[in-house]
Amino acid sequence: MFEQGAIRPPNEAGSLLVRVTRNCPWNRCRICPPFKGLKFSLRPVEEVKKDIDEMAAVYPTGSGGPESAFLQDADSLVVSTDKLLEIIGHIRKRFPSVRRVTTYARAKTMKRKSIEDLKRLKAAGLTRIHSGMESGSASVLALIRKGNTPDDILSGGLQVVSSGISLSEYIMPGVGGRRYSEEHARETAKILNRIRPDFIRVRTMAVHPLSPLERLISEGAFEPMTDAEVVAEIRLLLEHLDEMPAHFRCGDFSLNLLMQADGRLDRDRRAMIAETDRFLSLDPLRQKAFSLIQRSYPGMVSLDVVNDAELMEEAGMEIERLEASAPDGFNRAIRSLMARQLPPLPSDTWPE
Ligand code: SF4
């Protein structure tokens, strides 16, 4: 039976998942549970091709077959270009229905590939790279042990964009905590304005209860932000982003409180800022009620929900109960609801 990895971007749900490496070659980020404790390995090309053959025996390959394939796991560009070309060629031979091939890659790895190699990959069918930059701030990147500098992110991103491969950059509001919030928003916008990726995908931070960040919170060394503070941070980021032809996406990830802040920066930036302002202009009780409702029923929730008197009364009682349950009880409860949406940790410890 063919192998499949633990994660893929949400918009690759219908893609053929082809595992070219196992786990993450870096694996030290303090924000990311799914590979912790698991060893990275490259898979021999023959083994990957055998998986593709087995998938072709199970799934339709021509009309009605998958139109896209996603190369797993966390950083497929670590594989040599020649090997990747052989794998992509085999996917397209066995699945003539496949039109797009996409993958995750780390900034440092993108930077290491030459533009010529990236262009060869594009010509073979690699159409998009998804990359988790998280932040453009050096302080934040060091705090979360991202293993990339702002310069790695900039160089790697520019390299991909100039090869013609579509680039999707993932950013993480809240990840700098209160201390770095403003720097995080400004520096992230600065780098994105220079890279000009096709997609900016927003992934609001949630803290896994076993992660080192949770320990830093309990020691008082990391101050987690409230939902309202994170919305203000996203507003600041939007203020500093250029009106470029990039999609700014909150709508594809339910850990984003305001999923409706979603659109193209050259067309909808003002409307997205207005959406954050709508939330920020609510009184604190209504802001909390909205957070509680959206965190309890993750998905696109209209801000109009705070005009429902019956729901507000119920939410108000629950907020009071949570506030009284522990110091900072409401925000703790919101953090714990958010952590439920994270991918599971493979073992019962989080190695530092
Ligand atoms: S965030 Fe990306 S680079 Fe960091 S450990 Fe997770 S998969 Fe690896």
Side-chain angles (χ1 to χ4, degrees):
M1 189 59 181
F2 51 85
E3 273 193 43
Q4 284 189 333
I7 59 167
R8 44 119 187 107
N11 65 325
E12 303 290 347
S15 300
L16 196 68
L17 301 179
V18 179
R19 196 175 203 194
V20 304
T21 67
R22 295 186 186 96
N23 311 312
C24 173
W26 173 249
N27 213 6
R28 285 180 225 171
C29 300
R30 288 169 145 172
I31 48 167
C32 163
F35 304 115
K36 290 292 176 285
L38 302 178
K39 210 166 156 271
F40 173 77
S41 63
L42 296 163
R43 296 188 69 209
V45 173
E46 287 314 315
E47 200 176 298
V48 179
K49 284 165 79 175
K50 199 162 151 273
D51 273 6
I52 297 164
D53 293 341
E54 286 184 22
M55 289 183 211
V58 177
Y59 301 131
T61 57
S63 144
E67 290 186 2
S68 57
F70 179 75
L71 308 180
Q72 294 179 306
D73 281 336
D75 189 15
S76 310
L77 291 195
V78 292
V79 176
S80 78
T81 302
D82 286 341
K83 287 181 179 168
L84 282 175
L85 290 170
E86 196 176 338
I87 291 167
I88 294 171
H90 199 69
I91 294 172
R92 302 196 71 181
K93 184 168 142 203
R94 286 280 181 260
F95 286 89
S97 58
V98 166
R99 305 259 171 276
R100 304 185 302 117
V101 180
T102 67
T103 191
Y104 280 134
R106 297 185 68 230
K108 255 197 180 113
T109 317
M110 298 186 323
K111 183 177 155 183
R112 268 189 227 120
K113 283 270 186 234
S114 68
I115 296 192
E116 289 66 40
D117 275 359
L118 289 167
K119 282 184 175 164
R120 287 168 70 208
L121 289 166
K122 178 174 190 276
L126 184 69
T127 48
R128 179 168 301 154
I129 292 176
H130 299 266
S131 187
M133 70 173 269
E134 328 303 355
S135 177
S137 148
S139 322
V140 174
L141 293 170
L143 170 74
I144 60 171
R145 298 213 180 121
K146 188 68 200 177
N148 288 322
T149 63
D151 181 62
D152 293 331
I153 293 168
L154 180 62
S155 312
L158 288 175
Q159 196 104 312
V160 170
V161 169
S162 51
S163 75
I165 296 176
S166 164
L167 178 63
S168 193
E169 290 280 13
Y170 290 66
I171 56 158
M172 188 166 274
V175 73
R178 273 191 198 126
R179 179 170 175 198
Y180 294 118
S181 176
E182 189 177 331
E183 173 181 327
H184 172 43
R186 289 177 190 276
E187 297 298 308
T188 302
K190 204 189 283 177
I191 289 202
L192 288 169
N193 286 341
R194 291 188 63 192
I195 298 175
R196 297 172 76 85
D198 302 275
F199 288 85
I200 297 167
R201 294 185 192 272
V202 181
R203 300 292 182 256
T204 298
M205 183 180 72
V207 181
H208 191 283
L210 295 177
S211 80
L213 279 183
E214 187 61 43
R215 184 176 46 73
L216 294 181
I217 293 173
S218 62
E219 290 166 359
F222 180 89
E223 274 190 279
M225 294 166 70
T226 64
D227 264 342
E229 288 168 333
V230 171
V231 172
E233 183 184 288
I234 293 173
R235 190 196 188 287
L236 184 66
L237 172 75
L238 280 164
E239 274 289 348
H240 284 81
L241 281 170
D242 289 345
E243 296 196 341
M244 55 183 143
H247 296 263
F248 184 89
R249 303 229 51 198
C250 286
D252 63 350
F253 192 64
S254 58
L255 273 169
N256 297 323
L257 184 74
L258 296 183
M259 293 179 72
Q260 49 276 64
D262 195 282
R264 284 233 334 208
L265 286 170
D266 54 357
R267 209 179 44 207
D268 310 312
R269 192 178 70 105
R270 280 283 140 209
M272 292 190 279
I273 291 175
E275 202 59 42
T276 61
D277 284 341
R278 250 188 101 199
F279 174 82
L280 293 169
S281 66
L282 296 174
D283 64 58
L285 180 65
R286 284 191 161 76
Q287 289 182 349
K288 284 183 176 172
F290 183 80
S291 292
L292 185 61
I293 294 163
Q294 201 277 348
R295 298 316 186 187
S296 306
Y297 305 99
M300 182 85 75
V301 177
S302 163
L303 275 170
D304 293 336
V305 79
V306 298
N307 298 325
D308 181 321
E310 205 176 312
L311 205 54
M312 277 301 293
E313 198 186 326
E314 265 179 53
M317 286 191 297
E318 183 60 5
I319 291 165
E320 222 171 276
R321 188 188 71 75
L322 292 170
E323 300 277 28
S325 65
D328 200 27
F330 175 78
N331 291 321
R332 277 171 190 253
I334 292 292
R335 289 208 301 277
S336 119
L337 285 171
M338 290 171 76
R340 288 189 199 169
Q341 291 188 60
L342 288 169
L345 189 65
S347 62
D348 50 10
T349 54
W350 184 304
E352 266 281 3

